[in-house]
Amino acid sequence: MTKTARMLWLAMSCLVVAGIVLAPAAGAQGTVTVLCSPNVVWCDVIKEEFPKATGINLEYIRLSSGEGLARLRAERANPTFDVWFGGTGDPHLVAFTEGLTEFYRPSSWDDLVPAFRQVTGETYLPLYAGILGWAVNDQLLASMGLPVPLTWKDLTNPIYRNLVAMPNPNTSGTGYTMLATILQIYGEDEGWRILRDLHFNIAQYTRAGAEPGLLAGRGEVAIGVTFMHDALNQAIQGFPVSVRAPADGTGFEIGGLSLVRNGPNREGAIRFIEWALSPEAQVLAAQRGDSYQLPTNVNTPLHEQAPRFDEVRVIPYDFAHWGDPEVRDAVVSRWTSEIYPLPKPRN
Amino acid sequence: MSVRPVAQLSEYGAAAQGRAGSAFWWGLIILAGGLLLPWSRQGVNVLAYDAARTGLRLAFEAWPIAAALALAGVLVVLGRPAFPTRAAGRAMLAVSAAGAAVTIGHLLTRNEPFGLGAVVVFLGFLSVAGMSLSYGGLLRVEPFAGAAILWLAAFIAVFILYPLWAMLVTSVWVRDRFTLDVFRQTLRSPTFFLFENPWTELSERRLALWVGLASGLVALAWQVVLHRTELGQNWRRIALWTVTGAASGYCLSALYTGFGALRNSVLLALSVGLVSTALGLSFALLAQRSRFPIRSLMGPISTLSMITPPFVLGLSMIYMFGRQGFITNQILGLSTNAFYGPLGVGVAQVLAFTPLAYLVLTGVVRSLDPAMEEAAQTLRASRWRLFHTVTWPLLRPGVANAFLLCVIESLADFGNPLILGGGVPFLPTEVFFAIEGRFNQNEAAVYGVILLFMTVGVFALQHYWIGRASYVTVTGKPTGGNPSPLPGVLEYPMTAAFVLWTLLGFMLYASVFFGSFVKLWGFNNTFTLEHYEALRTSGIGVFLDTARLAAIASVPSALVGFLLAYVVGRLRFPGRSLLEFTSMLSFAVPGTVMGIGYVLAFNSGALRLTGTELIIVLAFVFRNMPVGIRSGLAALQQIDRSLEEASTTLRASNVTTLRRILFPLLVPAVISGLMFSFVRAMTAISQVIFLVTPSTNLATVLILSWVGHGSIGRGAALSCVLIAAMAVVVLVLNVVLHRTGRRAGPAATL
């Protein structure tokens, strides 16, 4: 055998042995494992602050709400996660109805905004609320000599061809919230027509709900349909976007917090839920987490720029109907089969 | 069955008299492992030792463990002779099969996650069964080869077929009922394929019919002219060509005018395959025989683009070619988003897959024997004629392999369509949306099956193209001379393509690098180190973990790939092509489907692996192994069998031949296999996005989540760290590869 071949064998064995020896010790006891769906910066903040407050270690993984639900379903028999933190409420509701998560009544239950807690009932816990809106790149619109759109209907105007971005409702809770909002404002017939006309103006369907704001910020599109707090984040980071809400009404989401059924560390999970709903923890989102949603604990001080419900025309969003998994499936499938694949007229 | 294979006879000479047979040693290993190692485990650490679960404790409680240990004892007795008789071989086969069955039965009925002891026992019985197949005369290969075949078959069955099976079963059985409705719905949905464009006047169906008819007629005319002397004999051939021509004309027209995921993916895969293979071949040829002094740059540069996580490349391409892009807007003054969609995805994929084609082809190009070309030159062949009639036919198998790899990669890639697709449907993204968005595993499986059929089609084409021709150029006889330079007609465009490629790559890397050092890429270009400082808390640990797992996984990927290439390429046994096909399966199936399959298959019961690092390593190994197989096969095809025959004639066993003749010849192939699987593991995303847990996160998943949420600077910073680290690894291995090539001497240059 040649020398090179022998050296190759040696090198390969060293590699494997070193890799196995260097493996860190398996996760210490007393670690809470969190499925984290909001902005990753916020996730980093809770990872840093929760151990300081309680002495319990925290590990998280960032998955958007659709992916998170898929993951919980796949791991039904042996969940990895203790808590599901954040993300649109609908998947939290689906997870609850499928028995993947269970209800836990926190000690701060009475401090939670009553309107939100009535919506969620005894299913999942309201963590924050966000209002659907637009991130509008005024510079781009001005340079093209186009007016700023005011309503959902304005967005379907052919002058905005290839200038609008929205999240794909297949992966993003934000995208579904937008479909449900338009259908609630305009009713079935006109709502679907608006969605179809809007399709011709869409430059991109994005995977995550915050991405359209990013595209608008970078000037790839002029208008990105996204939650107002995400748009605000882009504006605060320095992108040339303004945060706007459609004048003909807009919907909102309630971000969820759920206790995973049969998770590995139930006590730690409960400690985490208690902490996450406290004002001290909730204020961190806007302070350090780049997340400007409305906190659900009434004692939490608000960020001065955070979008508020009394400043925009928020529709009475029917969570009972539109949050129903069957309705959701039907709406998303109809959109996916009738609108998403439509070729755009060439002009 | 009176004829015994030569190889087996040689065994008698090779082994010293009185030595105990391999089955004896395996029996001892089973006894030791079964008694001293735990049969099951509690946590996620597969290597954990738990004294309460060893065979010593359990043998009296669980009869299957006692039975397995007893059977191992029988093997120790039966396996004593070094050359068992055929009857003894069959007896050992029965004993070891029973042992393996008892072990599996125990694991399944206990339903506890397996432990190391059970693995040792099962693999021990498997090895003895494989060897006994050969002793008992049931398989006409050497004992070692029999064991190797069984090992490979078992691993492929568990880690490739079983996850797919779990996936399919979970999907076809809807609410405990078998149904095909999902197939029907998916195939009819316009997302899949839309023929008639409602916005055009003409009917696309009719157009496709006309085009099909026309191309059928052209094919008919061509064939009739070609065979005008003996029309009667060739009517079958002529009919076949006519039908094929008409069908491909119809399909191409339908694909060109149609809409939907099928059309986008197929057109994309074909064009990306063609362009990447052409570029890869050009670069490989240039690197070997260009007159320009750029050859030393070639390897590192083209490999560099491969070590970038694909979506990062896509992101920097947006900054270059998007509506506000540096090139499209600042330099060309355009305001367009034409780049989003198939064009952008195509460019990104060509950038990503050309190195793949280059890696496959560079070995082939390097092993071309200059003597053949010199012979042609002596016969006064022009340079073009030399290339056309000597070099090209030798290159063809490699080219076919490269094309196959690129087409399949393009069909399975989901990162680029997701970032650059602009919302246009592609097959892999539809799989992804079906699973992660619509939670519809049925639909995802349907798309998976369609992709599978396409892969089979590509395979069939490749077999047809290479045919049975022999391309042996490594003969063991000394060769001499220098490779001839390329004809200028080819060389100048190739060099131009290379320069363009280099510029583009350089620009993209510079832009990622730039983005990691400024506050807000493109808007606030103040210098800052904050992104790198932020890595210290959450990025660098994940990066080191990723590197460690990828390094561990690269060794088995390369070795198993090499062994499989040998078994498939050199041995004859029933089920050989099945083994080859199934081993390539994990490469063809989209990563997302494989990932979901792994979660479904290994989340509970005896095979529980989720949450462990092992499952990520296994996903890497079985995903990247096919690359090792392909390059191993391509290299083996060029090694003359007479080398092995000589070794066998000198009474060396298969193992010895493999170890001392083939392995040293294939060292460069193994090294590039190692490098390639490491790089692929470091940049992998689709197959592991479902498998990562908080304690085993991966760098690519982290970057994607940062980039998706606007922390572009941080994502760019981690990408830079990733790219830099992989660049170091790849450069070092390239130097090693270069030096091995030289040291191996002229007789065995690969």
Side-chain angles (χ1 to χ4, degrees):
Chain A
M1 190 192 282
T2 66
K3 204 169 143 199
T4 359
R6 210 172 302 141
M7 272 168 58
L8 183 59
W9 280 115
L10 194 69
M12 290 195 296
S13 340
C14 287
L15 205 62
V16 172
V17 170
I20 292 170
V21 169
L22 286 177
Q29 287 300 312
T31 299
V32 176
T33 314
V34 177
L35 200 173
C36 193
S37 291
N39 187 333
V40 68
V41 185
W42 190 4
C43 300
D44 275 342
V45 172
I46 63 163
K47 181 183 178 174
E48 204 182 319
E49 290 298 322
F50 179 65
K52 281 189 200 160
T54 60
I56 302 174
N57 232 340
L58 184 144
E59 281 184 341
Y60 79 85
I61 200 156
R62 233 267 1 152
L63 290 174
S64 65
S65 46
E67 291 162 358
L69 180 57
R71 182 72 176 260
L72 287 181
R73 277 178 172 159
E75 295 185 348
R76 178 190 291 275
N78 280 303
T80 319
F81 296 101
D82 300 305
V83 187
W84 186 3
F85 178 83
T88 330
D90 301 329
H92 278 270
L93 184 62
V94 176
F96 177 80
T97 49
E98 291 184 3
L100 299 169
T101 60
E102 56 187 289
F103 178 69
Y104 167 75
R105 182 188 282 264
S107 57
S108 54
W109 179 251
D110 292 328
D111 291 338
L112 300 182
V113 177
F116 299 152
R117 122 168 97 82
Q118 275 155 22
V119 167
T120 59
E122 301 212 333
T123 52
Y124 61 95
L125 293 164
L127 181 67
Y128 56 78
I131 307 165
L132 187 67
W134 301 334
V136 180
N137 190 321
D138 300 296
Q139 285 180 5
L140 184 64
L141 282 183
S143 74
M144 299 179 89
L146 295 174
V148 173
L150 297 175
T151 61
W152 290 111
K153 255 188 181 162
D154 286 353
L155 280 192
T156 62
N157 190 329
I159 56 172
Y160 299 117
R161 173 91 11 116
N162 281 336
L163 287 177
V164 186
M166 66 173 267
N168 190 325
N170 278 299
T171 46
S172 159
T174 315
Y176 176 71
T177 308
M178 180 192 136
L179 296 196
T181 300
I182 290 180
L183 292 175
Q184 283 176 73
I185 297 174
Y186 288 99
E188 287 280 319
D189 292 343
E190 203 182 351
W192 283 109
R193 200 160 341 131
I194 287 177
L195 286 174
R196 192 202 62 188
D197 293 346
L198 185 58
H199 168 75
F200 300 139
N201 284 351
I202 297 289
Q204 268 198 65
Y205 292 106
T206 67
R207 177 180 159 219
E211 267 177 86
L214 213 62
L215 291 175
R218 285 206 310 258
E220 297 295 333
V221 298
I223 303 119
V225 178
T226 183
F227 278 111
M228 288 171 78
H229 53 256
D230 288 327
L232 180 63
N233 183 21
Q234 304 300 332
I236 288 178
Q237 284 207 13
F239 287 109
V241 290
S242 57
V243 185
R244 286 169 198 267
D248 48 352
T250 189
F252 66 103
E253 66 159 347
I254 294 177
L257 176 65
S258 295
L259 175 64
V260 175
R261 193 182 287 265
N262 298 330
N265 185 354
R266 190 183 157 87
E267 279 155 46
I270 287 172
R271 290 280 296 276
F272 178 78
I273 291 177
E274 292 288 348
W275 177 77
L277 293 173
S278 68
E280 302 82 61
Q282 293 211 326
V283 79
L284 293 171
Q287 272 177 5
R288 289 169 50 200
D290 290 356
S291 304
Y292 306 97
Q293 290 95 327
L294 286 171
T296 47
N297 192 315
V298 289
N299 301 320
T300 313
L302 283 183
H303 186 268
E304 68 268 18
Q305 278 176 286
R308 289 154 216 238
F309 275 71
D310 43 14
E311 288 166 0
V312 296
R313 193 172 152 197
V314 176
I315 60 164
Y317 195 99
D318 184 355
F319 284 97
H321 177 71
W322 297 95
D324 181 1
E326 278 182 26
V327 175
R328 183 191 166 95
D329 271 1
V331 169
V332 174
S333 320
R334 179 164 174 193
W335 182 86
T336 310
S337 60
E338 289 179 17
I339 292 180
Y340 177 53
L342 267 188
K344 293 171 189 175
R346 299 185 212 270
N347 57 6
Chain B
M1 288 286 274
S2 59
V3 184
R4 304 205 97 198
V6 182
Q8 192 149 354
L9 280 173
S10 66
E11 187 95 352
Y12 290 90
Q17 284 298 316
R19 238 175 68 179
S22 322
F24 169 79
W25 296 111
W26 274 112
L28 283 188
I29 291 175
I30 298 173
L31 278 178
L35 282 171
L36 301 176
L37 292 173
W39 279 64
S40 59
R41 76 192 138 88
Q42 246 173 342
V44 292
N45 189 357
V46 181
L47 297 176
Y49 178 76
D50 185 351
R53 292 155 186 267
T54 55
L56 275 172
R57 295 284 181 85
L58 292 174
F60 301 102
E61 298 161 26
W63 68 264
I65 294 184
L69 293 174
L71 287 169
V74 175
L75 281 185
V76 171
V77 177
L78 276 178
R80 282 304 294 280
F83 312 106
T85 59
R86 188 170 289 192
R90 294 197 175 173
M92 282 199 295
L93 178 62
V95 170
S96 50
V102 164
T103 313
I104 291 176
H106 173 72
L107 283 176
L108 290 183
T109 47
R110 265 304 174 91
N111 221 20
E112 278 178 341
F114 68 87
L116 211 52
V119 177
V120 170
V121 171
F122 175 70
L123 290 179
F125 281 126
L126 200 66
S127 317
V128 178
M131 293 185 301
S132 321
L133 277 177
S134 156
Y135 292 139
L138 296 169
L139 201 63
R140 286 168 140 222
V141 291
E142 280 193 23
F144 160 76
I149 291 168
L150 276 200
W151 271 58
L152 292 172
F155 277 116
I156 285 173
V158 174
F159 294 110
I160 296 178
L161 294 182
Y162 174 55
L164 290 179
W165 174 248
M167 171 90 205
L168 285 171
V169 166
T170 324
S171 58
V172 182
W173 284 88
V174 189
R175 295 186 195 88
D176 294 327
R177 204 168 56 83
F178 176 82
T179 171
L180 280 177
D181 290 349
V182 192
F183 262 91
R184 225 166 296 141
Q185 281 164 17
T186 309
L187 293 184
R188 277 193 200 147
S189 89
T191 315
F192 178 67
F193 187 67
L194 183 68
F195 212 150
E196 293 288 352
N197 184 346
W199 306 104
T200 52
E201 292 290 317
L202 96 183
S203 158
E204 274 78 16
R205 267 173 221 278
R206 208 171 302 155
L207 179 72
L209 276 178
W210 281 113
V211 172
L213 201 64
S215 48
L217 283 176
V218 170
L220 179 68
W222 176 53
Q223 284 294 313
V224 166
V225 172
L226 204 68
H227 299 290
R228 56 190 172 276
T229 45
E230 58 264 333
L231 274 181
Q233 284 164 9
N234 285 309
W235 68 270
R236 227 181 260 270
R237 197 186 165 81
I238 293 170
L240 187 73
W241 270 97
T242 313
V243 172
T244 317
S248 40
Y250 184 85
C251 290
L252 278 180
S253 164
L255 284 177
Y256 186 72
T257 58
F259 289 89
L262 177 73
R263 176 254 184 189
N264 293 336
S265 280
V266 172
L267 273 191
L268 184 74
L270 289 179
S271 27
V272 166
L274 278 176
V275 175
S276 308
T277 313
L279 285 178
L281 180 62
S282 318
F283 296 175
L285 284 172
L286 276 185
Q288 181 73 4
R289 45 185 81 182
S290 168
R291 282 166 299 188
F292 293 101
I294 48 174
R295 106 176 52 161
S296 53
L297 281 171
M298 195 79 75
I301 286 179
S302 69
T303 318
L304 207 65
S305 76
M306 189 179 64
I307 62 183
T308 319
F311 41 86
V312 175
L313 207 65
L315 192 79
S316 56
M317 282 167 86
I318 290 175
Y319 282 92
M320 288 291 155
F321 300 105
R323 191 186 284 277
Q324 304 289 324
F326 180 69
I327 291 182
T328 37
N329 193 11
Q330 249 107 315
I331 295 182
L332 300 174
L334 300 169
S335 175
T336 168
N337 45 19
F339 189 70
Y340 293 99
L343 178 67
V345 181
V347 173
Q349 288 190 343
V350 165
L351 276 174
F353 302 150
T354 302
L356 178 64
Y358 172 79
L359 269 190
V360 171
L361 288 165
T362 189
V364 180
V365 167
R366 235 183 274 173
S367 62
L368 287 180
D369 188 350
M372 290 200 180
E373 298 185 347
E374 274 170 17
Q377 274 171 334
T378 320
L379 294 170
R380 300 253 180 103
S382 70
R383 235 192 248 169
W384 170 251
R385 192 176 162 78
L386 163 71
F387 183 81
H388 181 66
T389 57
V390 177
T391 317
W392 172 243
L394 284 171
L395 288 176
R396 234 170 45 164
V399 169
N401 278 336
F403 179 73
L404 170 79
L405 276 178
C406 291
V407 166
I408 292 175
E409 276 282 286
S410 165
L411 279 176
D413 172 42
F414 101 111
N416 288 314
L418 205 64
I419 297 257
L420 289 169
V424 178
F426 292 89
L427 288 176
T429 50
E430 284 313 303
V431 173
F432 180 73
F433 286 151
I435 293 179
E436 301 206 347
R438 301 193 281 274
F439 313 127
N440 193 339
Q441 287 157 354
N442 308 43
E443 204 186 323
V446 172
Y447 281 114
V449 170
I450 292 163
L451 282 174
L452 210 59
F453 272 114
M454 290 182 172
T455 320
V456 176
V458 177
F459 266 121
L461 257 180
Q462 186 221 18
H463 268 275
Y464 180 75
W465 193 19
I466 301 185
R468 299 241 163 263
S470 160
Y471 299 99
V472 172
T473 54
V474 177
T475 53
K477 296 157 201 148
T479 60
N482 293 316
S484 64
L486 294 165
V489 184
L490 284 177
E491 184 165 5
Y492 297 117
M494 281 178 178
T495 314
F498 174 74
V499 170
L500 255 177
W501 163 278
T502 318
L503 277 180
L504 187 61
F506 177 76
M507 222 164 51
L508 294 177
Y509 282 100
S511 112
V512 176
F513 190 68
F514 176 74
S516 73
F517 280 109
V518 296
K519 275 202 147 56
L520 196 61
W521 200 348
F523 291 91
N524 182 355
N525 294 335
T526 343
F527 175 81
T528 176
L529 281 174
E530 65 182 53
H531 305 309
Y532 284 93
E533 274 160 21
L535 286 189
R536 275 210 307 241
T537 51
S538 62
I540 216 72
V542 171
F543 164 75
L544 290 177
D545 265 354
T546 314
R548 192 168 52 80
L549 294 181
I552 297 181
S554 67
V555 175
S557 315
L559 287 183
V560 174
F562 168 68
L563 190 63
L564 252 170
Y566 169 73
V567 163
V568 165
R570 285 297 201 250
L571 302 179
R572 295 283 166 271
F573 57 94
R576 186 178 62 94
S577 27
L578 189 69
L579 198 66
E580 183 183 8
F581 174 73
T582 45
S583 66
M584 296 300 289
L585 209 58
S586 74
F587 192 69
V589 176
T592 332
V593 173
M594 211 63 193
I596 278 278
Y598 266 53
V599 171
L600 290 171
F602 302 120
N603 191 40
S604 59
L607 279 176
R608 182 177 166 199
L609 278 171
T610 43
T612 63
E613 293 188 336
L614 183 62
I615 193 172
I616 293 179
V617 171
L618 286 168
F620 284 155
V621 169
F622 287 93
R623 182 93 177 142
N624 299 334
M625 175 191 73
V627 183
I629 304 176
R630 280 285 142 192
S631 58
L633 275 179
L636 270 180
Q637 268 187 358
Q638 305 229 330
I639 296 179
D640 196 330
R641 273 174 198 253
S642 64
L643 286 175
E644 293 150 67
E645 279 160 15
S647 160
T648 308
T649 318
L650 294 169
R651 301 204 163 164
S653 67
N654 263 354
V655 199
T656 316
T657 310
L658 193 60
R659 210 163 48 93
R660 304 195 49 172
I661 310 292
L662 287 180
F663 188 78
L665 277 175
L666 291 174
V667 160
V670 173
I671 291 182
S672 66
L674 273 177
M675 178 170 80
F676 198 65
S677 40
F678 176 74
V679 167
R680 269 177 62 96
M682 288 290 277
T683 55
I685 179 104
S686 56
Q687 67 268 38
V688 287
I689 197 163
F690 282 99
L691 301 176
V692 295
T693 64
S695 49
T696 56
N697 204 348
L698 294 177
T700 44
V701 181
L702 197 63
I703 297 174
L704 191 64
S705 84
W706 282 346
V707 166
H709 289 81
S711 313
I712 303 165
R714 254 211 269 182
L718 184 53
S719 310
C720 284
V721 173
L722 203 67
I723 292 168
M726 281 193 284
V728 170
V729 171
V730 168
L731 280 176
V732 167
L733 282 179
N734 260 330
V735 170
V736 172
L737 203 62
H738 194 67
R739 289 176 59 183
T740 16
R742 214 186 298 149
R743 197 182 309 161
T749 312
L750 261 176

